[in-house]
Amino acid sequence: MDRADEIVERLRSLGSPANLPGMARYGIEVSSAVGVTIPQLRAIAKEVGTDHGLALALWRTGVHEARILASMVDDPGLVTVRQMDAWARAFDSWDVCDQVCGNLFDRTPMVLGRIRAWAERPETFVRRAAFASIAGVTVHRRDVGDDELRSFLPLIEAASDDDRNYVRKAVSWALRQIGKQNAELNTDAIATAQRIRERGTRPARWIASDVLREITSDAVQTRLRRGR
């Protein structure tokens, strides 16, 4: 038994089938899940350390939690565009998509290019990956400047008519994160949300309302005035 198989056996022993109905109620695809929590996965990832080969092997198992764990132990510097595209095409659940984008993809050198490519894709979770990655880059990457973040605003606006739940929520998430970075980006994000609202479609109205509610709130505005 290789290391990936050993870890999957460990996941199965830790997992609780009682967790699966609750996961399913949150829209998580549980057909390959074993019921391990994210804190448990993070603890295993800390033990394992960074291991690109193991990450690839864990992904190949197809086990829901093993794929999330793969994103926690992979080395962003060794990830390739081919791997990113293959994994994105294989996303079948919003939580795997978001974990992979937020743990791994947003830290890779190629992520900005993949965001632009994925934002145009028709597949639900590939397109979601574009906007989940924008949210991740905005929060995690200090080397990505305001101008680069602004360059994502047209992508966000263009996707705002997508009525698929998993896409529109990610579009909102991306714009909200940009709008909370600093006062200048907040102004740009508010203007973008207002233009989105003017599109008049149901998803656009929902996204604009969701975004404006947060980024114009007293809490966010007070923090931005303080320069935090």
Side-chain angles (χ1 to χ4, degrees), residues 22-101:
M23 293 166 63
R25 283 194 295 272
Y26 279 96
I28 294 171
E29 170 57 54
V30 297
S31 60
S32 65
V34 295
V36 178
T37 66
I38 294 296
Q40 288 174 311
L41 292 176
R42 294 203 182 281
I44 295 171
K46 187 174 180 180
E47 290 178 27
V48 169
T50 302
D51 190 324
H52 178 64
L54 177 61
L56 296 178
L58 287 169
W59 186 266
R60 287 194 296 267
T61 69
V63 175
H64 185 91
E65 290 88 347
R67 288 189 158 182
I68 293 175
L69 181 60
S71 75
M72 297 176 177
V73 302
D74 207 347
D75 183 342
L78 297 179
V79 173
T80 64
V81 168
R82 182 176 180 180
Q83 177 187 340
M84 293 174 77
D85 284 343
W87 285 23
R89 289 193 301 269
F91 291 153
D92 63 353
S93 188
W94 66 264
D95 63 325
V96 176
C97 174
D98 294 0
Q99 287 289 331
V100 172
C101 292

Side-chain angles (χ1 to χ4, degrees), residues 125-160:
F125 290 116
V126 177
R127 201 174 201 196
R128 181 182 175 98
F131 299 101
S133 294
I134 290 173
V137 164
T138 303
V139 173
H140 297 144
R141 293 284 292 273
R142 298 299 94 190
D143 61 321
V144 175
D146 288 3
D147 287 344
E148 192 70 62
L149 296 179
R150 284 190 188 93
S151 76
F152 295 140
L153 296 177
L155 299 179
I156 290 169
E157 193 169 343
S160 63

Side-chain angles (χ1 to χ4, degrees), residues 104-139:
L104 179 63
F105 285 175
D106 64 353
R107 293 165 168 82
T108 65
M110 304 82 65
V111 67
L112 304 183
R114 301 333 296 149
I115 285 170
R116 301 184 193 287
W118 295 338
E120 303 295 329
R121 296 295 304 172
E123 303 93 336
T124 297
F125 290 116
V126 177
R127 201 174 201 196
R128 181 182 175 98
F131 299 101
S133 294
I134 290 173
V137 164
T138 303
V139 173

